[in-house]
Amino acid sequence: DVKVTQSSRYLVKRTGEKVFLECVQDMDHENMFWYRQDPGLGLRLIYFSYDVKMKEKGDIPEGYSVSREKKERFSLILESASTNQTSMYLCASSPHTGTTEAFFGQGTRLTVV
Amino acid sequence: AQSVTQLGSHVSVSEGALVLLRCNYSSSVPPYLFWYVQYPNQGLQLLLKYTSAATLAKGINGFEAEFKKSETSFHLTKPSAHMSDAAEYFCAVSAYGSGNTGKLIFGQGTTLQVKP
């Protein structure tokens, strides 16, 4: 069964902390994505990786960075967490063909206090 | 570059009525189009997809979407709404080739309310 696993379902961090959100997929997919989901704003792409060590900025990359050292793992890093980064974070993966959809993890609800 | 616009953040229908959720896309190359559904407190799951094999995409739970290139639209329909269809629906576009590597872009989402 296809699986995208995010390391935490709920996370509470303090302002200024460095935060790591981890995502692992077991489908050998080339593409991996990080989105944040906020009410009324839909899913906004933060970063996208189409291969190991390759990345593209999405629509809202400010305040975030990513790391993809291995094909199966894609990490989102909040360098210095702020309260406006409180959100639901979704990881997804897809293969390098358009005929196959992206598969999503269950999400991490991050609260920055 | 690709983009998606979903018209209407909230749609309310009566049980048994037609469901129509609107999605318009922009893409510089032939697109791949998807509709996802998210039930409360759950992750996203694929409802249906268009990948150029046929202009009418059929999905789960009786949903369909027709790809209309001339209108750059991919509207989601269901002939008769059921209470269990209440959820948030997202339209998404991706593209490959001509420098596109499959970046997946979502619309703002439409919340469907079904009234008894």
Side-chain angles (χ1 to χ4, degrees):
Chain A
D1 197 18
V2 162
K3 191 161 275 187
V4 178
T5 303
Q6 295 184 229
S7 52
S8 305
R9 288 296 304 273
Y10 300 93
L11 213 51
V12 180
K13 295 292 181 181
R14 296 195 178 277
T15 302
E17 274 194 79
K18 190 168 186 177
V19 180
F20 293 86
L21 302 184
E22 307 286 348
C23 177
V24 177
Q25 51 99 0
D26 64 0
M27 296 161 285
D28 201 37
H29 285 167
E30 292 81 6
N31 295 337
M32 294 189 77
F33 310 82
W34 274 108
Y35 297 90
R36 65 176 282 177
Q37 182 178 14
D38 300 289
L41 298 177
L43 275 72
R44 293 181 291 168
L45 183 64
I46 304 171
Y47 267 99
F48 161 57
S49 171
Y50 51 92
D51 204 345
V52 175
K53 298 191 179 182
M54 305 304 288
K55 62 185 179 186
E56 278 186 31
K57 290 182 180 179
D59 297 323
I60 52 165
E62 297 78 19
Y64 303 95
S65 61
V66 291
S67 172
R68 189 150 180 222
E69 296 295 318
K70 293 185 177 181
K71 192 175 186 180
E72 67 270 19
R73 186 180 296 271
F74 192 35
S75 303
L76 179 69
I77 304 154
L78 286 66
E79 297 290 343
S80 177
S82 63
T83 55
N84 63 12
Q85 293 178 310
T86 292
S87 186
M88 171 68 84
Y89 290 87
L90 296 170
C91 175
S93 73
S94 72
H96 258 180
T97 66
T99 56
T100 304
E101 67 273 23
F103 295 87
F104 282 81
Q106 282 299 98
T108 296
R109 184 163 294 280
L110 173 67
T111 302
V112 183
V113 298
Chain B
Q2 287 73 43
S3 67
V4 174
T5 301
Q6 290 183 239
L7 298 174
S9 58
H10 287 85
V11 170
S12 181
V13 301
S14 298
E15 192 173 20
L18 171 72
V19 175
L20 171 61
L21 305 184
R22 299 178 186 275
C23 172
N24 288 88
Y25 71 90
S26 171
S27 180
S28 54
V29 296
Y32 297 104
L33 295 160
F34 306 86
W35 275 98
Y36 283 82
V37 61
Q38 186 178 37
Y39 298 103
N41 299 316
Q42 293 189 28
L44 270 75
Q45 65 180 87
L46 182 73
L47 200 56
L48 52 80
K49 61 185 178 184
Y50 164 76
T51 57
S52 77
T55 56
L56 183 64
K58 293 179 182 279
I60 60 173
N61 300 334
F63 283 94
E64 295 181 345
E66 186 174 6
F67 172 69
K68 292 188 176 180
K69 184 178 178 181
S70 60
E71 298 176 11
T72 61
S73 69
F74 191 57
H75 302 329
L76 182 70
T77 61
K78 181 174 180 178
S80 177
H82 192 273
M83 296 296 292
S84 61
D85 294 328
E88 190 160 19
Y89 293 80
F90 294 95
C91 183
V93 63
S94 71
Y96 291 81
S98 299
N100 295 282
T101 49
K103 187 159 60 174
L104 184 63
I105 302 297
F106 281 83
Q108 304 91 324
T110 298
T111 300
L112 176 65
Q113 180 187 23
V114 182
K115 298 177 291 186

